Amino acid sequence: MAADQAAAPAASARAAGHGLPGAHPERAKHAVWHRLRRHPGAIAGAAVFMAVALAVLFGSFVHGVDPHYLDYRAKNQGMSLAHPLGTDNLGRDTFARLLAGGRLSLAVGVAAMALSLTVGTVVGVLSGFFRRLDGPLMRFTDLFLALPVLPLLMVTTMLFREPLRAALGLEAGIFILVVGVIGITSWMQTARIVRGQVLAIRAREYVTAARSIGARPWRIISRHVFPNALSPIVVAATLDIAAAIITESALSFLGLGFPSDFPTWGRLLYDGVPFLTLTPDRVIWPGLAISLTVLSVNFLGDGLRDALDPHATTHRAPVIRRK
Amino acid sequence: MLRYAIRRLLFAIPTLLAISFVVFALLDLAPGDPTAQLPLTIPPETRALIRESLGLGQPFPVRYVRWLEQFLANEPLNLVEVLLGIEIGDSEGRLRVSSWATRSPVVDLIAQRLPQTLTVVGVSYLVAILIAVPVGVFSAYRQYSVFDQVGTLITMIGFSVPTFFTGTVLIVIFSGVLGWLPSIYDTTHRVTDLASLGYQLKQMAMPVMVLALFSAAQISRFTRSAVLDTLHQEYVRTARAKGLAEPVVMLVHVLRNSMIPVVTVIALGLPTTFAGAIITEQIFRINGVGALLIGAIEGADIPTVQTVTFIFASLIVFFNLVADLLYGILDPRIRYD
């Protein structure tokens, strides 16, 4: 809280100093793209993430092996033409399983990001715009920030896995559960950042002007406040994807996430650990996939942050993750 | 400052109460029967008696208040008694939070597991700080140098690669291929002489490395940006313009000021490292608090899960408080009203 009080004037000064994108939309967009291009890490990150996404989405058309097909006579094989990354102890194709797992991992990441972003943005906009809601909502956020996320995630998935599975089916139940718990426990940073931005925007002349011609709060929020608060939301979105992928794989690694029949990258890694001495590549490939994806998204997020906030280039406190 | 501290402390109480309620309610109202794991041959009447003996007969609010009383009054009293060797009131008849799996008080279980966790977490955090702060400072001082570029890349990697992957890779390399380090942490090992100390250091090396890499990445990222922020301040330019020697400028003007946010971040990061230790303990089979939690979750030992989770939450609240107060003490510019 102390940090907030100190940071608030700095944030409003920054917002007032440079024209927020929106004053000249085209020029601002061009400037952002120009600054992003000078950030080699961000471009590389975007390229790698796109490549990973394309591979997991369309890879099965090129590599048409069924990830569930058991071939006991070809178990624990090394790399070959038929099985580019070898097979596991039941003779399933590692590369096909990696592609299928990646689809699930990325889906969890994107869905959890969407949920956490929605909650975070709504809470942030409401508490920044309506003074009366600010106190209660921020206390609520502080409460969530003090929750021990990993233990709670473990407990909730453990307790609600069976009932949700029974109600919604095997894959859908666990997917909704994991996405739900990750989304609900990761919106707080977004809410705080958005609130700060909205507080700064609310004090600007165009909001006063809109209010003086009788615009209703909802219209001011949707037409004036939200579009101008978009850049920190975009940055939070990228970083949230990375965080959600990590959290999901950590849960799966503890055996509390997805089951082996619908493995994500984390679960593949977990299933590979007992065979570490026999086939270490079963751990290496999913681990590399997670690391590469998260790394590329983080680089992209960093670059976007620098590009969208030119006054804070290169020296700006990164968001501290609680995990 | 004192008034702020007291207000902050008072605010921590409702926070903790709310968290304890969330933790208790989540576990208590969840579907599932604690006697479900017992053999099917037990007749229903006995099963009902077992449920009664576990304290499940009473309504939810009563159980919550009694759990609070046991955890917040009885356990601290017991702790004081053990530490000071005295007896306060009726110490035999006082109810304690006991595990359903082992029937022993949960706090005793935690006390058995805590030393292992504390050793690994404490040493790794210390290592992380010792590495991260100098790296961060030098990276900022020589911004865009090769050292900075490489350092930033490595911290980004340490920040992005999950600990369970670094851990397993280290096991493959150091235990599998090279055979230098044991892959399983032996908690029964006692340090008695130089050779056993050597073994202790060997078995701690990998878990400490894994946790330290992750914490160091966060701390050094933060240190770098804090020092960069300070380096751009007017008073640093003034100090240089006065002709002060560079070491004086760096140590007196830059470092002292940029360490204010870094110290608070170090305090804030400690509970995170504890939570991270859950995963590390799983990788290296360390018999610590995290392993206790995982075992309790798998065995549906609800009192243990509630207590350990609540202790994790208390750690977060406590270190948030420490960070806020440190910020106020270290930075006289911050004024609280």
Side-chain angles (χ1 to χ4, degrees), chain A residues 1-2 139 143 148 154-155 158-160 163 246 249-250 253 287-288 291 294-295 298-299 302 314-316 318 323, chain B residues 11 18-19 27 30-31 143-144 156 160-161 164-165 214 221 225 228-229 272 275 294 297 305 309 313 316 324 336:
Chain A
M1 253 161 284
R139 292 294 83 76
L143 178 70
M154 288 158 60
V155 168
M158 183 69 193
L159 290 172
F160 293 95
I246 289 260
S249 54
F253 179 78
L288 272 183
S291 309
V294 173
L295 193 63
N298 275 341
F299 264 120
D302 255 20
T314 62
H315 57 279
R316 164 131 180 218
K323 211 156 291 132
Chain B
F11 182 67
I19 292 172
L27 278 148
Q143 196 187 4
Y144 302 131
M156 201 62 173
S160 302
V161 178
F164 50 84
F165 183 49
F214 185 71
R221 252 167 88 90
S225 37
L228 275 177
D229 260 347
T272 318
I294 290 178
I297 286 176
V305 178
T309 312
I316 298 176
D324 268 9
Y336 302 103

Side-chain angles (χ1 to χ4, degrees), chain A residues 29-246:
Chain A
K29 233 178 266 175
H30 188 78
V32 166
W33 172 238
H34 191 73
R35 281 194 297 269
L36 193 63
R37 254 190 350 205
R38 282 191 323 206
H39 211 289
I43 295 302
V48 170
F49 184 65
M50 284 305 283
V52 171
L54 287 178
V56 299
L57 281 180
F58 302 111
S60 55
F61 294 112
V62 181
H63 182 72
V65 180
D66 179 7
H68 297 293
Y69 179 69
L70 305 177
D71 184 2
Y72 291 108
R73 279 172 301 178
K75 64 176 183 179
N76 293 332
Q77 281 187 349
M79 296 183 187
S80 66
L81 217 55
H83 304 292
L85 299 180
T87 56
D88 69 2
N89 58 317
L90 299 174
R92 288 174 292 194
D93 184 81
T94 304
F95 187 54
R97 277 167 71 75
L98 205 60
L99 292 177
R103 224 158 23 232
L104 209 47
S105 280
L106 290 193
V108 169
V110 172
M113 174 275 281
L115 179 60
S116 113
L117 209 63
T118 311
V119 178
T121 308
V122 168
V123 170
V125 168
L126 287 183
S127 78
F129 196 79
F130 298 105
R131 262 162 215 256
R132 202 170 295 167
L133 292 176
D134 191 23
L137 279 178
M138 278 299 112
R139 292 294 83 76
F140 185 65
T141 312
D142 285 342
L143 178 70
F144 261 80
L145 277 172
L147 289 176
V149 172
L150 193 61
L152 273 188
L153 283 177
M154 288 158 60
V155 168
T156 358
T157 43
M158 183 69 193
L159 290 172
F160 293 95
R161 189 157 50 176
E162 293 307 322
L164 267 178
R165 246 192 211 180
L168 296 167
L170 201 59
E171 204 173 357
I174 192 81
F175 185 83
I176 288 175
L177 177 64
V178 170
V179 166
V181 288
I182 293 178
I184 288 171
T185 50
S186 63
W187 53 270
M188 293 82 75
Q189 292 293 356
T190 316
R192 288 185 137 187
I193 296 168
V194 171
R195 171 181 172 264
Q197 192 80 359
V198 170
L199 277 178
I201 292 169
R202 201 183 58 175
R204 289 176 66 93
E205 289 87 349
Y206 55 79
V207 174
T208 319
R211 198 171 296 187
S212 67
I213 59 168
R216 302 207 164 264
W218 172 242
R219 190 179 164 78
I220 300 176
I221 289 176
S222 60
R223 294 278 302 191
H224 302 286
V225 174
F226 184 70
N228 287 314
L230 211 56
S231 48
I233 298 178
V234 170
V235 175
T238 38
L239 297 178
D240 272 354
I241 292 184
I245 292 177
I246 289 260

